[in-house]
């Protein structure tokens, strides 16, 4: 179980409820997933994290599905079980097909492999890839 | 410098040259970046890695730019300096704008933050996120 | 279950029992947690690890609570479920309040986020931060 | 060099300057380190990150020095060169002595070691450490 | 359960069955472990991953037991529970004794500790260790 | 440069010199590499780390070359530049050939790839791989 248990809506103070309400209306869902209930013991952490996520995951130069795929890629690389489960579900809601998921995993797998090969062979950055020349 | 130095085209055996030629024609470039030259001391590793990358990064259910963004997300999470530089450059060639890069970094940053919060608060996976129910 | 099972006190040889006794007397507890029982199949590993931990976690320039908080920070960053559970419990015994835990998580979360941003933007170290000038 | 170069104060727009001014007045310094200048190409990322850091690193249940030590612990575990350099410097400014740093490193080292031992021996969480019983 | 469930032999298409058959004959076993069944929803991923693993894990300059020990070392460092369990089992089949496992864990533990100390103390690479001089 | 600079033999106190002497005689070399000089500011850390390394890396059920290969595998996975350079050099001294290194890198690369695939597809551990049944 979560370290301090979960803060259910019925037991939440007004500050926490306001965040819960905003999560549900922004995401067009009628429930709150455990992540938010677990961190809601610290309303400032809850509010800051939600507002950052809301800002970051909104449509912009990248569309929301791509952002969810990126979230899954990071979560898989970090091995965060909760995050893999929750963001895979979110990506499916955003339209991720099984084919997209398989390609996502294929890229994540190869990137993790070649990251280590670049480390292990101590490869120097090509001048053409040096930043800020673009 | 790379652990065993770099295998330049002029010094490469036919097996390595064939891979180098395929890299250049596939990517429509006229040079080989250091990563491939560093691992070319093992032609089997070179060939296997290139053919996997070629297969995985080809257009499919996800387009090549999205795949490059995913590659950058993984490389940043793993802290692989070479890979961040090379795949950021590739992503720009595929059309990544500065705005896309900033959003990419914003998502990667938040994902790394919330991955740790989910770990630290020992959050249990919601039933709704349990895999294979979809 | 642990890879080779757990070495219970009743079944332990004198070398292992001596370590178990020292753990219990040092920590003022009357039981041994699974970590030690799992590695006790190798008495040299058990003894070396315990003696290092005992030396490192003793009061010094940093007090034991701060050391436990640091242990949790590393364990959360590495995503080690066992270590998060055991060291969160130890930290509570050393006096960690929920408020301290929330701040700990907030710092760990932000550090993981900005670590990735520094990687991703390929930020160079400022001269003022170069080591050994202090 | 940083991916898009650094945004110097003289070239910054009013939104960025306002953040730079707040960083300098909050930290009582007269310069901006490269991290902020590198991410300032995205004023929303700059502002959100700074405001989160400012809130998280302020004195609270944990004092600022402990928070800097935690930041170093995470950065060392993640292997972020920039962050190790910058937060080690910040910790020294907050009063970290060499003795504190050595103990910090000793704890971080042992935590990374025992995290892997717990993984490798597949140790199950003791009932006494199960969360939410406190 | 795995994200898209498991592809059992009875339900597999000919392409997947061919890989399953090769896995069983190569490894001299009469069953397929969950990893392959989980990724078999993407036959190209299944085939590419298996053929790479088959090539990489075959006897060569390093013997198969050493390769399995290396696999466990990486999996433990990454904290991949499935991989730790499966490759520890494979290593035992290849002849890993409990004594070998304990030494493996001891090395992995120390390497993870000293990796972080090298990071934390910002140690520069000795000229004698610079690559390519060998 | 290292955080607190390097402790040279000429400037070392007797406790540090004793460790340096033991490193040189154990390894049959006439110099001390930077890692030890960087941590020698804390003689207790130096002594504890060296004695642990000496015990762990000594010939046992696994031979010293295999142990160095394992050290490289962990260091590459963690992306520790100093450790990759120093332990690759040590492995060469222990007899690692280029062919061995290429196979080492191939295994490390594949392990990092399949670790992430196992995470991403949320693969459950097969009963046959459950620990302690052996």
């Amino acid at each position: 179980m979560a370290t301090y248990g979960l803060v259910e809506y019925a037991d939440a103070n007004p500050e926490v409820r306001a965040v819960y309400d905003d999560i549900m209306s922004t995401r067009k869902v009628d429930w709150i997933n455990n992540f938010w209930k677990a961190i809601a013991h610290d309303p400032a952490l809850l509010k800051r994290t939600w507002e950052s996520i809301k800002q970051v995951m909104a449509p912009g130069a990248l569309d929301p599905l791509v952002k969810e795929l990126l979230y899954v890629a990071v979560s898989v690389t970090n091995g965060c079980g909760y995050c893999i489960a929750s963001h895979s579900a979110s990506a499916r809601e955003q339209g991720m097909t099984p084919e997209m998921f398989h390609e996502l995993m294929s890229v994540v797998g190869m990137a993790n492999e070649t990251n280590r090969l670049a480390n292990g062979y101590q490869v120097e950055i090509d001048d053409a890839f040096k930043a800020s020349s673009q």
Side-chain angles (χ1 to χ4, degrees), chain A:
Chain A
M1 221 192 287
T3 307
Y4 293 100
L6 303 174
V7 178
E8 299 296 342
Y9 192 92
D11 307 317
N13 68 25
E15 190 180 357
V16 168
R17 281 192 183 186
V19 175
Y20 284 5
D21 288 338
D22 193 36
I23 291 173
M24 291 189 286
S25 73
T26 301
R27 295 186 164 175
K28 299 180 177 46
V29 295
D30 61 359
W31 62 291
I32 298 294
N33 58 298
N34 290 345
F35 175 78
W36 305 107
K37 292 181 186 170
I39 69 172
H41 293 279
D42 180 349
L45 172 61
L46 173 70
K47 186 174 160 65
R48 187 178 65 242
T49 306
W50 165 246
E51 290 184 351
S52 294
I53 285 284
K54 185 181 173 181
Q55 184 180 30
V56 164
M57 300 303 280
L62 301 177
D63 70 64
L65 173 55
V66 169
K67 290 181 174 184
E68 283 295 345
L69 298 178
L70 292 167
Y71 228 105
V72 175
V74 170
S75 302
V76 166
T77 299
N78 281 332
C80 176
Y82 183 84
C83 314
I84 293 167
S86 63
H87 286 280
S88 294
S90 300
R92 280 189 294 256
E93 280 166 33
Q94 296 283 352
M96 180 181 73
T97 63
E99 288 67 33
M100 288 176 183
F101 181 77
H102 301 319
E103 294 193 12
L104 165 62
M105 287 301 102
S106 296
V107 174
V108 168
M110 285 308 300
N112 274 285
E113 179 177 8
T114 59
N115 279 195
R116 282 23 173 161
L117 293 177
N119 288 344
Y121 280 91
Q122 303 182 71
V123 188
E124 285 193 332
I125 300 179
D126 307 72
D127 286 341
F129 294 154
K130 293 273 167 66
S132 237
S133 58
Q134 287 75 13

